[in-house]
Amino acid sequence: MTRTFLPGILAMAAIVVASNILVQFLFGQWLTWGAFTYPLAFLVTDIMNRVYGASAARRVVMVGFVVGLVCSLIGTQIMGEFGPLVTLRIAAGSGVAFLVAQLIDVSVFAALRGGKWWRAPLVSTLVGSSIDTALFFSIAFAGSLSFIHPATDVSWAAETLPLLGVGPLAPLWVSLAIADWSVKLSIALIALIPFRIITARLTRTA
């Protein structure tokens, strides 16, 4: 790592730590506060990719993965009202989803970097965010994947309710996933503004 990459490394670490803390606090019925900070990890990855290249972006991703892993391991040791704050399935889902989604984001961005300025960050974030959501919620809560850690009780997530409170009946975790995914997509669009401003400044000073 070089000092050049330090701001990106620190930003990624801060986002991962903040998201791991804020995920413990509910926002409405379907979201947590962590849902609003976690998508910023894709912004950091894309800025690093645009300014310093895919290799630098992957280094920052690996830092985020390690920090997230440490946070998850700490969470498994902290007991809440209903057991550990972080179950092994949640820890596994979080780690796998982050690493796979972020690395795919880097690859998609690199493939599209020669087009219009907004295309690479938008498409890579949309693809990465979709994969992140699908992997995390499936690994953490889907009943069909209970073999990952049979001792983890996810029966509450399988409770059948109207989708997002208004749609057809679906497991609770599906509503949680869709709500989370919607926030990610919204932030992907909003993040184009800081992406443009920050990359322009860094490119001028690089």
Side-chain angles (χ1 to χ4, degrees), residues 88-111:
L88 290 178
R89 283 189 64 174
I90 289 177
S94 178
V96 170
F98 179 88
L99 188 60
V100 173
Q102 290 288 334
L103 291 179
I104 288 177
D105 177 281
V106 173
S107 297
V108 173
F109 189 105

Side-chain angles (χ1 to χ4, degrees), residues 29-30 137 156-161 163 170-177:
Q29 188 173 0
W30 312 108
F137 283 93
W156 62 271
E159 181 182 0
T160 301
L161 298 169
L163 189 66
L172 171 60
W173 71 267
V174 175
S175 290
L176 299 177

